[in-house]
Amino acid sequence: MAVTIYLRYVLDTRKLKEFEHYAKLWIPLVEKFGGQHHGYFMPSEGANNIALALFTFDSLAAYEVYRERSMQDADCQAAFRYAEETGCIMSYERSFFRPVCA
């Protein structure tokens, strides 16, 4: 069964451009490892320090393979370092969802 991963980020509002760059790095990386990225969503109205991301894998097992492989991938590691060096992400939470089918 497919699983959609929901990421909710708390951002440093002084570093929204840096986070947007980070987001653009990850979209092709998720797809590189078999996921379907549904995009990042930057603050607009309301809270100015919250961003979201959604992406789907065919199964939780496929997501776990992605997680393992991303820890060994140079491009993924560079993206992790970029976020750490810029300090654009204050914290994040990850949740998993399954689709409801008729």
Side-chain angles (χ1 to χ4, degrees):
M1 176 177 290
V3 62
T4 297
I5 298 84
Y6 163 91
L7 288 163
R8 180 184 183 272
Y9 296 92
V10 177
L11 307 177
D12 181 334
T13 57
R14 298 167 297 167
K15 299 180 179 183
L16 295 179
K17 287 181 185 176
E18 288 84 354
F19 179 79
E20 192 163 346
H21 175 75
Y22 169 81
K24 289 177 182 178
L25 293 174
W26 273 106
I27 292 170
L29 292 174
V30 166
E31 293 172 351
K32 174 181 177 179
F33 293 107
Q36 177 186 4
H37 212 296
H38 306 293
Y40 279 84
F41 302 87
M42 297 295 293
S44 180
E45 295 296 321
N48 67 350
N49 67 333
I50 303 298
L52 305 174
L54 292 165
F55 53 95
T56 300
F57 279 87
D58 289 339
S59 65
L60 187 56
Y63 171 73
E64 291 299 331
V65 169
Y66 151 77
R67 293 272 300 172
E68 290 174 22
R69 291 179 65 199
S70 70
M71 295 301 166
Q72 306 303 318
D73 183 80
D75 293 332
C76 293
Q77 291 306 305
F80 286 132
R81 277 192 308 277
Y82 176 82
E84 187 174 310
E85 290 168 1
T86 63
C88 59
I89 300 170
M90 305 300 293
S91 65
Y92 69 94
E93 61 187 50
R94 182 182 300 122
S95 299
F96 299 85
F97 296 88
R98 62 176 176 75
V100 174
C101 300

